[in-house]
Amino acid sequence: QVQLVESGGGLVQPGGSLRLSCAASGSILSFNSMGWARQAPGKQRELVATITSGGTTNYVDSVKGRFTISRDNAKNTVYLQMNSLKPEDTAVYYCNAFKTWTPRGPANYWGQGTQVTVSS
């Protein structure tokens, strides 16, 4: 059973920074990619950053230049460094892990989420 545990959320002022962490219960190299998604009240969940097992990263336009996703394979942990935070970044942030193949087909795994609130 895959477990993803997020930490690092909180309240921060506009322009501030936070670093989110996602610790996996097993080797993150077993996943084709990992990422971070967010969901604001009344909105759909949005995948904002991904990193493949080979280290290739992708970002949604709204966070490019401000957020950085990284991974530490030895610690089975993925990070999201968030700088220059804006009120519109306020959301619950979820860690995601994706496998292109399992006996039941492609699979997404999700953490329980961590709240990020950007407010003065």
Side-chain angles (χ1 to χ4, degrees), residues 28-34 50-56 71 73 98:
I28 60 174
L29 290 173
S30 68
F31 301 107
N32 296 94
S33 68
M34 297 195 70
T50 59
I51 184 167
T52 68
S53 56
T56 300
R71 58 194 293 156
N73 295 331
F98 176 70

Side-chain angles (χ1 to χ4, degrees), residues 4-9 19-23 36 77-80 95 114:
L4 304 172
V5 179
E6 302 100 333
S7 60
R19 188 176 82 154
L20 305 182
S21 299
C22 171
W36 289 91
T77 301
V78 176
Y79 304 97
L80 186 68
C95 181
T114 185

Side-chain angles (χ1 to χ4, degrees), residues 1-2 4 30-35 47 95-110:
Q1 185 73 11
V2 175
L4 304 172
S30 68
F31 301 107
N32 296 94
S33 68
M34 297 195 70
L47 195 61
C95 181
N96 169 262
F98 176 70
K99 289 186 177 182
T100 57
W101 186 90
T102 72
R104 296 184 179 181
N108 272 299
Y109 304 92
W110 297 95

Side-chain angles (χ1 to χ4, degrees), residues 49-62:
T50 59
I51 184 167
T52 68
S53 56
T56 300
T57 58
N58 275 292
Y59 302 91
V60 68
D61 285 347
S62 59

Side-chain angles (χ1 to χ4, degrees), residues 13-16 62 66 83-90 118:
Q13 292 187 341
S62 59
R66 300 188 299 121
N83 299 328
S84 302
L85 282 161
K86 305 175 181 180
E88 51 263 43
D89 295 317
T90 296
V118 185

